[in-house]
Amino acid sequence: MAVKPKVFVTRVLPEHGLKRIKEHCDAEIWHDPLPPPHAVLRQKIANCEGLVSLLTDRIDAALLDAAPHLKVVSNYAVGFNNIDVLAATARGVAVGNTPGVLTDATADMAFCLLMAAARRVVEGHQYTQAGKWKTWEPLGHLGQDLIGRTLGVVGMGRIGYALAKRCRGGWDMRVLYHDVHASEQAEKDLGAQRVDFDTLLGESDFLSVHTDLNEKTRGMFGTEQFQKMKRTAVFVNTARGPLVDEKALYAALKAGTIFAAGLDVTDPEPPLPDDPLLKLPNVVIAPHIASATVGTRNAMAEICANNLLAGLTGQKLPAWVNPEVEAKRRKE
């Protein structure tokens, strides 16, 4: 009987993908709800050929050096900021991710947060729970209208387009976007206009962030940017927490510089218990659940398993972050 490759899985994944991993690999699965400490992760993968990681697992050069037999890192996420891809490539380690299957779920979540923040749903729910609802109030809990307003999208990729399509088709919103690349599809299908960042800030009634996190975008929303937005604006972030200076966001929400915010990501993540953002009535914060639908998480698990098994057998990964590894391997 052939020896199965040894792999470490840093969290319990949906059985849709985990079953295949267990069938084809000698898999050790971390069952604790919190991620394995870095030192423990280093120990666990010392003799592994494969690693299934999450965004909460830091995969750096030192960790890779501690796993000389490692062939593949399969990240159960679209993003891969947690992985030093250059270091992995230099060591001939393939890196996979799970793109494509999160688009609709994340766009739905962005709109969910947009609507909840605009119409003060969570605030109203807490008001009711606290027994404060005594009668119908003509001036109580007034929110923002959606019909015919302007949506601003930062990063018109798949998710940004999907959100804009919902807002344009369902609420007849005008769509503006800011991106380093023009989106012919968004401009043709939705009448979207590509504008500079300041124009987007100044004209958007709802501003939703869908851009990558890199050194140029880190902290791109700070005091200056919030001050350029409308006082009635709703800010939504389902991309990455570090895109936003959260102290500046808190100040803007507290002072009424903007109307409300809806966040699925924070910095740090999760927020500290005494984070002042958690005390504000005009912010809705979800625990990074944009992809949390049964269908989406199952699809992610399937891609993750396929990436892992392909990397272990020297095949092309279905979703390959660093395909240049193949050429490197051939040279060696």
Side-chain angles (χ1 to χ4, degrees), residues 2-313:
V3 177
K4 293 181 178 180
K6 186 176 178 60
V7 305
F8 183 64
V9 183
T10 66
R11 212 71 54 81
V12 177
L13 303 182
E15 195 64 20
H16 200 74
L18 193 59
K19 181 179 178 181
R20 291 189 62 226
I21 294 174
K22 291 188 288 188
E23 285 177 352
H24 295 280
C25 305
D26 176 10
E28 181 181 358
I29 300 155
W30 184 259
H31 286 271
D32 196 293
L34 295 177
H38 197 63
V40 173
L41 179 57
R42 180 186 178 105
Q43 176 188 352
K44 292 291 186 181
I45 69 169
N47 296 308
C48 285
E49 295 180 55
L51 170 63
V52 175
S53 57
L54 273 64
L55 282 173
T56 47
D57 304 310
R58 177 166 52 90
I59 315 301
D60 55 20
L63 188 76
L64 293 167
D65 285 338
H69 307 293
L70 198 64
K71 296 179 180 178
V72 56
V73 176
S74 183
N75 215 39
Y76 184 70
V78 173
F80 43 87
N81 296 101
N82 59 308
I83 302 172
D84 187 335
V85 177
L86 291 178
T89 303
R91 290 157 179 77
V93 177
V95 176
N97 66 336
T98 61
V101 294
L102 285 74
T103 300
D104 286 325
T106 305
D108 285 347
M109 188 64 188
F111 185 77
C112 175
L113 289 169
L114 183 156
M115 176 69 86
R119 294 301 305 270
R120 303 172 66 176
V121 174
V122 174
E123 182 184 352
H125 174 69
Q126 293 171 340
Y127 185 83
T128 302
Q129 279 189 320
K132 296 180 179 179
W133 182 17
K134 304 301 182 184
T135 185
W136 187 80
E137 304 171 45
L139 299 180
H141 313 286
L142 299 181
Q144 300 298 327
D145 291 306
L146 277 73
I147 291 292
R149 296 299 177 91
T150 297
L151 171 71
V153 175
V154 179
M156 187 60 84
R158 289 190 296 263
I159 298 170
Y161 175 87
L163 174 65
K165 183 178 179 181
R166 286 157 171 74
C167 293
R168 177 64 176 172
W171 282 264
D172 196 28
M173 288 191 189
R174 173 193 179 208
V175 178
L176 304 180
Y177 75 99
H178 178 72
D179 200 312
V180 293
H181 303 291
S183 173
E184 294 182 8
Q185 183 183 22
E187 293 176 10
K188 178 182 177 182
D189 297 349
L190 310 177
Q193 297 175 258
R194 185 183 178 205
V195 297
D196 61 65
F197 194 34
D198 282 351
T199 299
L200 190 85
L201 294 172
E203 297 191 17
S204 296
D205 296 298
F206 305 96
L207 195 155
S208 191
V209 188
H210 302 282
T211 191
D212 294 336
L213 174 64
N214 54 55
E215 290 310 309
K216 291 185 178 180
T217 60
R218 185 180 296 274
M220 69 183 299
F221 288 94
T223 301
E224 180 182 352
Q225 288 70 40
F226 291 122
Q227 287 178 345
K228 292 179 179 179
M229 294 171 65
K230 296 179 179 180
R231 294 184 66 84
T232 53
V234 174
F235 177 78
V236 176
N237 185 15
T238 56
R240 290 288 180 266
L243 295 167
V244 181
D245 177 345
E246 291 197 351
K247 290 183 179 179
L249 176 59
Y250 170 81
L253 290 167
K254 181 74 173 176
T257 304
I258 62 174
F259 182 76
L263 311 174
D264 187 51
V265 289
T266 59
D267 183 27
E269 194 169 291
L272 299 175
D274 60 350
D275 190 322
L277 267 178
L278 298 175
K279 311 299 181 184
L280 291 177
N282 56 340
V283 60
V284 180
I285 303 178
H288 204 149
I289 57 173
S291 66
T293 68
V294 173
T296 299
R297 292 286 172 88
N298 281 343
M300 289 173 63
E302 183 174 1
I303 295 172
C304 185
N306 290 341
N307 282 337
L308 177 72
L309 298 178
L312 291 171
T313 55

